[in-house]
Amino acid sequence: MPRAPKSENATAPAAASADKPQSIEDIAQGIAVAILEKRLPPGTWLREEALGRVYGVSRTKVRAALLMLSKDRLIEMIPDKGAFVSKPTVQEAREVFAVRRILEAEVVRLFIAKAGPADYAKLEQHIVMEHQAARRSTGMREELLGDFHVALAKATGNQTLTEMVHELVARSALIAMLYQSSNDPHCSSDEHADFLRLCRQGKVAAAVTSMTEHLDRIEASLQLGTVQPGRPMDLIKALLA
């Protein structure tokens, strides 16, 4: 999942560095992390002028970054209105998890077939980081939980599959934000650890079942149909207040 340096302003994406021009990729990464860390909620109006001031770049660069994010479905470009943080429907939420169950079952099979000691060591260290973030109640914990699934896909060596999982994990983070997930990060990390042990033992069917049940539980933690009402946020107010 994309990362960016943390800004001192907790309500804004990372601001531009005084001595290093921000690239389109830097800007897209900063906005993505702000979305996934719940600093820019679903429905937020992403004003190009405001983002240009935050990053110290032209609207052309901002627009290019927003287009990149729209490909990952993190934002929606609405003609004659602008860019908004995506606000997935209940139907979309259910579809995302249905597709994740199918794709990630195949990820598990490929991972067990191809993973080596370094892959397992990397994922075990990732789980340690998840537990540490959960104890500190940091904003990184949800991002780390999603990153586990992307790292698992990456270890298969299938770039297309990894990109698909990356997009679905990012969309899942938005869904969890919008539908107020009650998912316990400690529980998710424990499930990741149990799942990885099954993989190490070569128990393919059991590992697939473990991953499927893990995704089922995450979906069940969502309050689908009970999204909290709210108005789109003006990004100038969100970033510069």
Side-chain angles (χ1 to χ4, degrees):
M1 193 170 293
R3 296 184 185 278
K6 299 295 185 295
S7 168
E8 293 182 359
N9 180 354
T11 64
S17 168
D19 57 356
K20 181 182 177 182
Q22 298 283 290
S23 69
I24 292 170
E25 291 76 13
D26 289 335
I27 298 165
Q29 188 178 58
I31 297 170
V33 171
I35 291 171
L36 299 178
E37 291 184 349
K38 303 183 181 181
R39 289 181 280 130
L40 293 175
T44 299
W45 180 15
L46 300 174
R47 296 275 305 266
E48 291 179 5
E49 300 93 334
L51 286 170
R53 286 195 289 273
V54 168
Y55 288 102
V57 298
S58 68
R59 290 181 61 181
T60 301
K61 263 194 170 182
V62 169
R63 192 173 299 115
L66 294 175
L67 284 171
M68 287 181 64
L69 294 173
S70 70
K71 293 178 182 178
D72 282 342
R73 307 291 184 88
L74 282 179
I75 70 168
E76 182 180 9
M77 307 289 285
I78 302 177
D80 301 323
K81 290 187 178 180
F84 297 82
V85 177
S86 293
K87 198 171 183 179
T89 65
V90 170
Q91 180 64 24
E92 287 177 276
R94 296 195 186 282
E95 289 175 356
V96 164
F97 278 93
V99 174
R100 282 191 66 179
R101 281 187 284 270
I102 295 169
L103 285 182
E104 296 194 49
E106 183 61 20
V107 167
V108 173
R109 296 184 187 99
L110 290 173
F111 175 78
I112 293 175
K114 296 185 177 183
D119 297 309
Y120 281 103
K122 182 176 180 180
L123 287 168
E124 285 167 350
Q125 181 57 37
H126 191 98
I127 292 170
V128 170
M129 293 169 60
E130 291 175 10
H131 281 297
Q132 291 172 343
R135 285 196 297 270
R136 294 195 300 268
S137 298
T138 68
M140 290 294 294
R141 61 188 183 186
E142 289 86 358
E143 186 179 351
L144 284 168
L145 292 173
D147 282 349
F148 178 87
H149 295 259
V150 178
L152 191 70
K154 188 174 182 180
T156 69
N158 188 318
Q159 182 61 31
T160 300
L161 186 58
T162 301
E163 290 172 356
M164 294 172 72
V165 171
H166 178 280
E167 177 188 329
L168 290 169
V169 166
R171 292 175 70 182
S172 297
L174 266 180
I175 289 165
M177 190 191 321
L178 183 61
Y179 294 101
Q180 298 189 341
S181 171
S182 59
N183 182 43
D184 183 345
H186 291 281
C187 185
S188 280
S189 291
D190 289 342
E191 289 173 358
H192 286 171
D194 291 340
F195 159 78
L196 202 59
R197 279 192 289 272
L198 292 171
C199 291
R200 271 194 177 278
Q201 295 165 8
K203 297 180 178 179
V204 179
V208 169
T209 298
S210 176
M211 177 59 75
T212 301
E213 291 178 347
H214 172 61
L215 294 172
D216 284 342
R217 187 189 60 75
I218 294 174
E219 182 180 4
S221 75
L222 301 172
Q223 299 177 34
L224 296 177
T226 59
V227 59
Q228 295 298 310
R231 59 181 179 79
M233 295 173 59
D234 183 324
L235 191 58
I236 292 180
K237 294 178 182 177
L239 299 183
L240 306 180

